[in-house]
Amino acid sequence: MEKQPRLLSSQLFLKNSVFEVSLNRVILTWKEIPTKNKRVSGNIHHPFKIGTSHSVSVSEILAVQELDLESGTKDDGRWQKMSQKPTEAYPYAFTVSYVRRARKHRWRCTDVTFFCPEWALCQQWVQTIKEQLAELTSRPKHLLVYINPYGGKQQGTCIYEQKVAPLFARASISTDVIVTEHANHARDHLRTVAELKQYDGVVCVGGDGMFSEIVHGLVSRTQKDNGVDQNSPEEKLVACSLRIGIIPAGSTDCICYGTVGINDPVTSALHIIVGDSQPMDVCSVHHNKTFLKYSVSLLGYGFYGDVLADSERKRWMGPARYDFSGFKTFLTHHYYEGTVSFQPATDTLGTPRDKSPCRAGCLTCLHNRQQYSEDSSDKYKTDTDFSDSENEGGWRVIRGKFLAINAASMSCACPRSPKGLSPAAHLADGTTDLILVRKCSRFNFLRHLIRHTSKDDQFDMTFVEVHRVRRFRFLPRHCQNDSEQDLRENGKRLFGQICRDHPARGCSPAFSSWNCDGEILPHAAIEVGVHCQLIKLFARGIEEPPVFEDVAATCAI
Ligand SMILES: Nc1ncnc2c1ncn2[C@@H]1O[C@H](COP(=O)(O)OP(=O)(O)OP(=O)(O)O)[C@@H](O)[C@H]1O
């Protein structure tokens, strides 16, 4: 890294020792100056403990504040007692609040207080650090916050007020807070009346459903403002300029887990404050040239659609409904016939079978984003006259009986399934991983499901195939010539008809439902296109754990 010129360097007092403290544009360091006694004993007994050195990246400093040693420190509008006694030689002090990495991707806010011999020096430090922070233009200053008071364990408001708002205040971020009053309140507000120009980002306090509302509101508003027709599947959508922050307060918080590595409100708040930016792909889902929904994580037909449809009918069971419906759906073992057509992602780095997952600063996403920009304009427009042959115009067509058809636009990892549905899927490479699970025995399907939680490759099975794609379509067998005015009615009719016609067939219904990021779609025949990096999150992707954490974990084993 290029050596940065020093902005300030002083000997300051901290925790009973004098430290050499220095600041450049990138880093603040403080290194203990060894005293004579310590040096002697250190050389003999603790050669590595002497002169302990700490450093913090300027981009991860939240705030700096001068302390009033007479009466305490003014923090978040409240006066607090000094925890450290000043010495006579160092009567002035300032506190730097910064991000400390804790275990398992957790971030915490830590304070360090430096004592200065002179008032002017103290002022100079505070001023210089403030100037450096002011130059970090990616940091938000004014945010629009939506809180779902009913998400997860109904703790959204409390989580925001107790854990997040004090951190925002400390970092001098102002907010306009809206507690939602009904479902789709946030989506509709964003889409219509929100004065977006005055904000640097939108924050949702809730779960994946609430995040989906924000995505729909923001993406729709951006298209409306730019005159883009969402109903046209071929239309290239305009990327949203505002970043989205997620404070996890839902039941699963899959998106937060997959973009930060942990569901922890304080960690997420700190990622927002430091102004992180993680682009994300968004899939648009259309039926019959009509826009249905956007999806950022999972589109699942068959198994995952059936589990969701069944669990929706059992809301009274609480979170246990997912286990119950999952088990029930596994036992029913329905398969669905249809045609899947897809446009494979060629010229892209990476495959769904890669061993390395998408991580912070992912080079695959960076490379594929460039590739996408270069060739998306023609690819998006050439396939409107798509025909149903085996390999036409770069499209592949597969007909069959499927237990599950899943499109994972990210790994879909969550605390329950840390690997996720497609462990090597990327957050922002302009593709989705299309996983086709063909009809097989219950035993084999169980083996496939179990592999999602083990180290074994869930795609290494004869009845499973996975393709990295830019677009795909699905047409259920029994409605290929159907206008599908009411899928569910047709499904019921066909289901009855098929059962009458083929009593020995096991009575698999003709249609499943699409599970679109946890919501049921009203149609089975859909067309899906991936829009590369359409949105940005206040996140940085999952960071590789520091080496010492790995070593510690290995030692623990
Ligand atoms: N004030 C409200 N009253 C009722 N429903 C709301 C309100 N605000 C938002 N919602 C809806 O509640 C649904 C669920 O919320 P949310 O995603 O926050 O929690 P969750 O479902 O418990 O978590 P997850 O989606 O992570 O499983 C969302 O789809 C959202 O549209």
Side-chain angles (χ1 to χ4, degrees):
M1 201 201 287
E2 196 186 319
K3 201 162 190 310
Q4 292 287 331
R6 208 178 264 183
L7 297 173
L8 267 182
S9 179
S10 317
Q11 294 198 350
L12 306 179
F13 194 76
L14 152 76
K15 285 189 186 153
N16 304 323
S17 297
V18 179
F19 280 67
E20 181 69 39
V21 187
S22 55
L23 175 76
N24 65 33
R25 284 181 187 285
V26 180
I27 207 155
L28 170 73
T29 52
W30 57 103
K31 187 172 181 194
E32 191 177 358
I33 299 172
T35 58
K36 222 177 184 181
N37 278 351
K38 279 190 179 176
R39 194 179 294 131
V40 172
S41 73
N43 282 343
I44 297 168
H45 302 295
H46 309 289
F48 300 113
K49 289 202 170 171
I50 278 308
T52 49
S53 174
H54 303 263
S55 58
V56 52
S57 163
V58 170
S59 65
E60 292 181 4
I61 294 176
L62 307 186
V64 58
Q65 192 161 39
E66 189 189 347
L67 295 194
D68 184 336
L69 296 179
E70 297 292 302
S71 45
T73 166
K74 194 169 183 244
D75 197 359
D76 315 334
R78 287 169 298 164
W79 288 91
Q80 296 176 348
K81 276 211 151 183
M82 277 292 307
S83 55
Q84 275 175 258
K85 278 213 156 98
T87 65
E88 269 176 24
Y90 295 89
Y92 305 96
F94 66 93
T95 295
V96 175
S97 307
Y98 64 96
V99 169
R100 175 177 61 82
R101 280 170 177 70
R103 288 180 71 83
K104 305 217 165 124
H105 306 292
R106 261 191 194 81
W107 282 13
R108 288 290 172 264
C109 176
T110 299
D111 288 347
V112 55
T113 298
F114 298 102
F115 292 85
C116 308
E118 289 153 19
W119 180 79
L121 183 67
C122 186
Q123 287 291 309
Q124 195 186 4
W125 270 96
V126 172
Q127 201 48 41
T128 311
I129 294 176
K130 279 191 173 163
E131 280 165 16
Q132 294 311 302
L133 296 185
E135 283 187 19
L136 301 171
T137 49
S138 61
R139 290 196 171 189
K141 293 184 182 63
H142 193 34
L143 294 169
L144 175 57
V145 180
Y146 294 98
I147 302 176
N148 175 3
Y150 299 111
K153 295 185 183 134
Q154 310 196 344
Q155 294 294 305
T157 313
C158 176
I159 286 173
Y160 181 76
E161 281 172 1
Q162 291 182 4
K163 298 188 172 180
V164 179
L167 287 172
F168 283 174
R170 195 181 307 183
S172 308
I173 293 176
S174 60
T175 51
D176 286 333
V177 178
I178 296 175
V179 179
T180 60
E181 287 164 13
H182 52 84
N184 293 326
H185 181 170
R187 183 197 69 183
D188 296 342
H189 184 258
L190 272 172
R191 198 157 57 183
T192 52
V193 291
E195 298 268 356
L196 296 184
K197 282 208 172 74
Q198 53 173 303
Y199 300 107
D200 303 308
V202 180
V203 173
C204 67
V205 184
D208 295 333
M210 193 59 189
F211 174 71
S212 175
E213 271 200 35
I214 302 293
V215 169
H216 280 82
L218 210 51
V219 173
S220 298
R221 174 70 174 268
T222 307
Q223 308 322 307
K224 195 171 101 184
D225 290 352
N226 288 279
V228 175
D229 177 13
Q230 290 183 103
N231 282 321
S232 163
E234 284 82 31
E235 196 77 56
K236 198 163 189 294
L237 300 182
V238 176
C240 303
S241 53
L242 290 186
R243 280 169 287 172
I244 307 173
I246 312 172
I247 301 296
S251 321
T252 46
D253 303 312
C254 214
I255 312 293
C256 185
Y257 189 85
T259 52
V260 174
I262 182 115
N263 302 337
D264 176 59
V266 170
T267 306
S268 291
L270 294 174
H271 278 281
I272 295 170
I273 292 170
V274 302
D276 272 338
S277 188
Q278 170 63 52
M280 259 185 108
D281 297 338
V282 176
C283 289
S284 59
V285 186
H286 288 80
H287 166 78
N288 228 357
K289 308 280 175 211
T290 306
F291 170 73
L292 291 181
K293 273 256 166 208
Y294 293 116
S295 161
V296 290
S297 55
L298 170 69
L299 271 160
Y301 187 78
F303 183 73
Y304 289 102
D306 292 352
V307 171
L308 181 66
D310 190 69
S311 69
E312 284 298 302
R313 291 191 288 270
K314 297 187 173 54
R315 283 205 150 260
W316 54 270
M317 287 178 83
R321 68 187 186 274
Y322 295 115
D323 291 329
F324 180 86
S325 298
F327 185 59
K328 183 181 156 194
T329 307
F330 169 74
L331 289 180
T332 52
H333 200 61
H334 285 154
Y335 62 87
Y336 301 94
E337 292 191 62
T339 304
V340 183
S341 332
F342 58 89
Q343 197 178 42
T346 48
D347 311 327
T348 49
L349 278 185
T351 75
R353 310 288 289 271
D354 286 345
K355 292 283 169 262
S356 50
C358 186
R359 287 290 177 259
C362 177
L363 293 177
T364 304
C365 289
L366 191 70
H367 173 274
N368 291 352
R369 158 79 211 177
Q370 282 159 0
Q371 190 67 38
Y372 180 91
S373 317
E374 280 163 25
D375 58 23
S376 69
S377 48
D378 16 302
K379 277 202 176 144
Y380 244 84
K381 306 240 159 154
T382 51
D383 53 52
T384 42
D385 56 347
F386 159 82
S387 73
D388 196 20
S389 66
E390 289 301 316
N391 202 337
E392 184 80 14
W395 284 74
R396 283 194 57 195
V397 181
I398 294 175
R399 294 185 186 83
K401 296 172 180 170
F402 304 99
L403 284 173
I405 298 169
N406 301 320
S409 299
M410 55 190 285
S411 71
C412 300
C414 65
R416 279 174 148 224
S417 165
K419 258 191 354 171
L421 270 186
S422 190
H426 286 271
L427 287 171
D429 69 342
T431 70
T432 186
D433 287 351
L434 185 61
I435 305 159
L436 308 177
V437 185
R438 288 177 186 270
K439 188 185 165 202
C440 63
S441 68
R442 262 195 200 89
F443 176 68
N444 273 337
F445 189 49
L446 182 63
R447 279 177 56 226
H448 168 66
L449 291 179
I450 287 174
R451 284 195 180 185
H452 288 91
T453 55
S454 75
K455 282 199 169 146
D456 297 327
D457 180 357
Q458 62 254 48
F459 305 134
D460 188 19
M461 301 182 129
T462 51
F463 53 92
V464 180
E465 55 189 283
V466 57
H467 305 273
R468 191 155 278 182
V469 310
R470 286 206 191 284
R471 311 189 79 191
F472 73 93
R473 292 172 177 145
F474 175 70
L475 207 53
R477 180 177 165 205
H478 291 289
C479 68
Q480 284 175 341
N481 299 316
D482 198 323
S483 63
E484 280 194 82
Q485 316 93 333
D486 188 334
L487 173 66
R488 247 132 273 289
E489 280 311 306
N490 280 343
K492 277 185 209 152
R493 264 191 278 123
L494 274 160
F495 179 40
Q497 185 64 43
I498 291 163
C499 286
R500 276 194 297 280
D501 293 351
H502 308 279
R505 190 173 169 259
C507 282
S508 258
F511 303 107
S512 172
S513 311
W514 279 100
N515 172 341
C516 176
D517 294 355
E519 270 187 58
I520 298 282
L521 293 183
H523 299 280
I526 59 167
E527 170 163 7
V528 177
V530 187
H531 300 268
C532 189
Q533 306 196 359
L534 194 67
I535 56 170
K536 276 190 247 122
L537 263 54
F538 284 110
R540 64 172 62 170
I542 299 175
E543 291 183 309
E544 294 292 357
V547 179
F548 69 81
E549 198 173 299
D550 274 354
V551 173
T554 319
C555 293
I557 295 164

